[in-house]
Amino acid sequence: MGQVVLKGINKFYDSVHAVKDVNLQIRDKEFVVFVGPSGCGKTTTLRMIAGLEAISSGDISIDGNVINELAPMDRDIAMVFQNYALYPHMSVYDNMAFGLKMRKFEKLEIGQRVRDAADILGIGDLLKRKPRQLSGGQRQRVALGRAIVRHPRVFLFDEPLSNLDAKLRVQMRVELKKLHLRLGTTAIYVTHDQVEAMTLGDRVVVMKDGLVQQVGEPLELYNQPANKFVAGFIGSPAMNFAAVTVTEANGSLIVENPGLRLKLPDETAQRLRGHIGNEVTLGVRPEDLSVAGTADLDHPCFDAVIEVVEQLGSEILLDMKVGEDVMVASVEPTVRVKVRDKLRVAIRPSRLHLFDAKTEAAI
Amino acid sequence: MIEGARWRKWAFFYVPMALFLLFLLFPFYWMVITSVRPDGELYRPWNSINYNPFWTWNPTWDHVRYLLEETLFVSWLWNTTFIALASTAISLVCGVFAGYALSRLNFPFAGSLGTGIFITYLVPQTLLFIPLAEMIRNYRLGDTPWALILTYPTFLIPFCTWLMMGYFKAVPKELEECARIDGASRWQAMLYIVIPVAVPGILSAGIFAFTLSWNEFVYALVFLSSPEQKTVPVGVTSELIRGDVFFWGPLMAGALLGSIPVAIAYSFFVEHYVAGLTGSVKG
């Protein structure tokens, strides 16, 4: 079992309120990812769960037992650090066995568990080496192995892939996912990389300035962001935003600014009724923009001037000037355009996001 | 490395290096040559025809034999070794624990306490020996090795503490946190993880402390009086300079033999010691 409950967790460093009233229920076997920009309190939250930071107020419980006052060693957790934190003077075997030795396991049992973990991770032939003789990816595996030999109730990961190069990071990400499917241990994972968050997490917790912005499954965050921050943070390239004013004409709602004028589809319009005359923020993802053709005549359209064309092979990113705003569109690789071209751009109407200009909450 | 023409390598690397080596090694050469030259050559006036201070054709072991047989040099050597080892051991133990506490346990005033300890290191021995002499007298430790073994740590502990503080700070704190999650108590994490990782630092602190106490002069001169209790630096200078007569041969032989143990200690640990100074902990 490994059910973790955070109840009203706060953390103060002197006058700095680093983590603000975090409430979260993590189910057994769940893979939960904390994501956010640096300084958002995600690592602090993880360290409070690990017992490495004191909790200023609130309760953390695992399987129903409050663990606020327990020492890290008594919480039955294992943690993987960003810099791996391998013990440099010990062999790989001793690194993995250390936790078991400290807990007075029998020698045979230790050997068995270390070999099992090494087999799972494919580091069986490295057991006699010292950490400095290993590559980054191998060190990462040893750090993982050190965590899994203990069979803890919860795994904690603190940006474990950040020190790897891009290719290896993708590979290890897949392996982490496989490992979790295989072991089924509850995992709490901290990262600043939204791709890692989306691909690994059963649920993702987006944090900013110590506050939880939204908790949800990856696609939920992507399709229904709770506010402008989540909308801009999740997804790459990031969502385009434009400040627009809501007006009414001939019974339908229109959002406009100097560069664009869009008629809203009815279901979106319903939600905006209360905002007529106000300024709101329009959000649209690059992949929901396309070069207007005959197929989408009924879609809302606007004019744009191409500033930069980024050929990615699988897609083309167009950096466009729309009135005063800059927008990015991700279009089919077959589209032939060049810099300074004038285009008519269509938006998939069902994919418009609107945010309150002041509170930034989704409308 | 220096790039470009060969002459640049000579002008900017080999020649300065050779001058530097000459400057550093000449005193040792002087010690060696003086300790094997017969007295007749040593005290020859500078304007005599065959005056040649840099070389001898008649090397002799007389000075070394005199030093070992006619003086108490062997017991000075033994005294110095014992005192240096004991005071180094005491200072290292205290310095390692104090350094760990000051760098890792976030107690109030840890920073200012660290600075305070360093400041005590700056108090000159020439001032400190006066009150210390009073204490040595009160505890009746005068003229025993303990007078030095207990006073050397007054400057060795601050030194070791300061050096270890810096070194412990360079050990990633995740190592210790990981050990504590793995099931080690704070004490075990220090013993099994942090201290083994800090061995290069501990070795360099130890070598420095050993050298400082081996060469120490003021306290040894003040607190020890009988010839058989003296240390090498004091013994050699007080017993081989009588009035205004310098026994150059034995004096230099004593200096040479006295510096050999330190040289051995350095060369033995040189790799660790350099790693300790550059302070690199590679994970």
Side-chain angles (χ1 to χ4, degrees):
Chain A
M1 286 293 283
Q3 188 192 38
V4 183
V5 178
L6 311 184
K7 212 156 116 194
I9 299 297
N10 279 287
K11 176 69 185 179
F12 294 91
Y13 291 107
D14 298 323
S15 59
V16 181
H17 197 173
V19 175
K20 297 168 187 162
D21 196 34
V22 173
N23 290 285
L24 190 66
Q25 290 212 9
I26 297 166
R27 294 183 284 269
D28 185 34
K29 299 190 180 0
E30 195 174 21
F31 199 120
V32 167
V33 180
F34 281 76
V35 69
S38 45
C40 72
K42 55 191 194 296
T43 296
T44 308
T45 309
L46 189 79
R47 290 171 59 85
M48 285 192 284
I49 299 172
L52 299 171
E53 291 296 336
I55 303 166
S56 302
S57 71
D59 283 325
I60 296 178
S61 49
I62 297 181
D63 294 338
N65 306 315
V66 174
I67 55 163
N68 291 9
E69 300 299 324
L70 284 185
M73 57 189 282
D74 298 323
R75 297 187 177 201
D76 202 8
I77 50 168
M79 185 156 168
V80 177
F81 292 84
Q82 178 175 0
N83 60 5
Y84 320 131
L86 299 182
Y87 311 132
H89 57 297
M90 293 185 187
S91 67
V92 168
Y93 181 93
D94 288 331
N95 261 284
M96 288 167 70
F98 183 76
L100 300 173
K101 279 183 190 157
M102 285 290 108
R103 284 159 208 273
K104 308 245 168 353
F105 276 78
E106 280 184 31
K107 252 203 160 110
L108 276 174
E109 170 81 7
I110 295 178
Q112 189 59 44
R113 283 199 187 193
V114 170
R115 273 188 297 277
D116 284 349
D119 284 344
I120 292 176
L121 295 161
I123 50 173
D125 46 350
L126 304 176
L127 290 177
K128 290 207 176 80
R129 298 227 195 137
K130 289 280 175 66
R132 66 170 172 278
Q133 299 165 305
L134 303 178
S135 68
Q138 290 170 331
R139 288 180 198 182
Q140 183 61 67
R141 277 167 223 264
V142 176
L144 283 174
R146 195 169 54 178
I148 65 180
V149 291
R150 295 236 327 272
H151 304 325
R153 284 190 291 185
V154 183
F155 285 133
L156 305 178
F157 297 98
D158 185 9
E159 309 217 9
L161 305 184
S162 300
N163 284 9
L164 299 176
D165 63 61
K167 202 170 170 185
L168 203 52
R169 197 180 306 161
V170 175
Q171 187 189 336
M172 284 306 290
R173 200 169 73 201
V174 175
E175 288 195 25
L176 262 178
K177 189 80 186 171
K178 279 188 194 156
L179 193 65
H180 179 249
L181 291 174
R182 177 170 181 167
L183 299 173
T185 310
T186 310
I188 306 176
Y189 187 106
V190 160
T191 180
H192 61 264
D193 180 352
Q194 54 98 14
V195 177
E196 264 171 42
M198 297 286 282
T199 49
L200 283 171
D202 295 324
R203 278 195 301 159
V204 177
V205 181
V206 183
M207 288 184 80
K208 183 198 167 200
D209 298 336
L211 273 173
V212 172
Q213 305 288 314
Q214 189 173 3
V215 183
E217 290 172 14
L219 286 182
E220 191 183 337
L221 298 186
Y222 185 81
N223 293 324
Q224 292 126 37
N227 57 34
K228 190 181 161 190
F229 174 77
V230 176
F233 194 79
I234 302 289
S236 170
M239 185 184 276
N240 299 299
F241 295 108
V244 291
T245 318
V246 185
T247 53
E248 190 171 12
N250 305 331
S252 49
L253 284 195
I254 290 181
V255 289
E256 61 181 346
N257 71 9
L260 53 83
R261 179 182 163 88
L262 303 173
K263 190 178 145 219
L264 293 178
D266 288 342
E267 72 262 48
T268 319
Q270 287 305 322
R271 286 183 271 141
L272 261 180
R273 283 283 165 202
H275 290 79
I276 293 172
N278 291 349
E279 188 165 274
V280 297
T281 305
L282 171 78
V284 56
R285 295 198 181 276
E287 50 272 36
D288 297 327
L289 294 174
S290 55
V291 179
T294 45
D296 37 21
L297 267 181
D298 53 334
H299 288 182
C301 290
F302 58 88
D303 290 317
V305 180
I306 309 271
E307 290 195 315
V308 178
V309 179
E310 297 174 90
Q311 303 273 7
L312 298 186
S314 61
E315 57 182 336
I316 300 176
L317 297 184
L318 304 176
D319 288 65
M320 313 175 296
K321 190 101 176 157
V322 182
E324 300 293 295
D325 300 305
V326 174
M327 288 200 177
V328 178
S330 159
V331 298
E332 292 285 303
T334 50
V335 171
R336 290 277 168 268
V337 285
K338 54 185 190 298
V339 175
R340 283 192 288 281
D341 276 1
K342 277 192 183 161
L343 278 187
R344 188 98 182 124
V345 179
I347 302 180
R348 276 161 71 188
S350 59
R351 309 284 297 177
L352 281 177
H353 298 272
L354 290 154
F355 306 96
D356 191 297
K358 281 203 196 71
T359 65
E360 301 198 339
I363 301 171
Chain B
M1 211 45 221
I2 294 159
E3 304 283 325
R6 179 170 282 193
W7 69 268
R8 291 173 67 92
K9 227 173 195 178
W10 279 96
F12 296 111
F13 184 72
Y14 292 119
V15 172
M17 173 102 153
L19 289 175
F20 192 66
L21 274 180
L22 196 71
F23 181 74
L24 279 182
L25 292 180
F26 183 74
F28 288 94
Y29 173 73
W30 194 251
M31 264 182 345
V32 173
I33 205 76
T34 310
S35 59
V36 296
R37 276 152 69 103
D39 273 339
E41 282 186 27
L42 277 176
Y43 297 103
R44 189 176 285 160
W46 65 270
N47 51 3
S48 59
I49 305 158
N50 51 0
Y51 179 75
N52 175 14
F54 298 108
W55 192 246
T56 176
W57 294 108
N58 313 299
T60 167
W61 290 109
D62 281 354
H63 301 311
V64 179
R65 200 174 297 126
Y66 176 84
L67 184 76
L68 295 179
E69 287 171 6
E70 305 293 317
T71 69
L72 293 164
F73 185 77
V74 177
S75 23
W76 299 337
L77 208 55
W78 163 244
N79 290 341
T80 319
T81 312
F82 173 60
I83 291 167
L85 284 179
S87 52
T88 301
I90 293 173
S91 313
L92 262 190
V93 171
C94 297
V96 166
F97 286 126
Y100 177 85
L102 286 170
S103 64
R104 279 301 162 87
L105 311 177
N106 292 319
F107 55 91
F109 308 116
S112 39
L113 195 62
T115 315
I117 287 178
F118 188 61
I119 288 173
T120 63
Y121 177 65
L122 300 179
V123 177
Q125 292 175 19
T126 39
L127 280 183
L128 211 54
F129 86 87
I130 301 167
L132 280 176
E134 179 77 11
M135 290 158 94
I136 296 290
R137 198 170 55 89
N138 288 345
Y139 289 100
R140 297 174 197 287
L141 292 173
D143 214 18
T144 69
W146 295 102
L148 298 186
I149 291 173
L150 295 178
T151 48
Y152 284 176
T154 56
F155 59 89
L156 292 183
I157 290 179
F159 175 79
C160 291
T161 305
W162 194 254
L163 209 115
M164 290 317 300
M165 253 172 82
Y167 204 83
F168 283 133
K169 274 185 187 153
V171 176
K173 71 177 194 312
E174 285 87 354
L175 280 185
E176 208 177 340
E177 290 175 347
C178 193
R180 291 178 62 206
I181 290 176
D182 264 352
S185 63
R186 178 130 220 170
W187 185 252
Q188 287 172 317
M190 182 181 80
L191 230 50
Y192 296 140
I193 306 295
V194 180
I195 288 186
V197 169
V199 159
I202 296 174
L203 277 181
S204 41
I207 288 175
F208 263 120
F210 181 78
T211 316
L212 283 176
S213 31
W214 185 273
N215 293 335
E216 204 284 334
F217 189 78
V218 176
Y219 291 174
L221 181 70
V222 176
F223 300 149
L224 305 176
S225 43
S226 22
E228 68 274 11
Q229 293 290 356
K230 285 182 175 165
T231 60
V232 171
V234 176
V236 167
T237 44
S238 63
E239 303 297 317
L240 294 173
I241 304 172
R242 296 178 197 145
D244 57 355
V245 184
F246 287 71
F247 291 78
W248 279 120
L251 201 56
M252 284 299 142
L256 189 67
L257 292 182
S259 55
I260 284 174
V262 179
I264 290 175
Y266 268 79
S267 61
F268 196 64
F269 293 117
V270 70
E271 275 177 38
H272 289 291
Y273 157 78
V274 171
L277 281 190
T278 50
S280 61
V281 180
K282 294 208 178 97

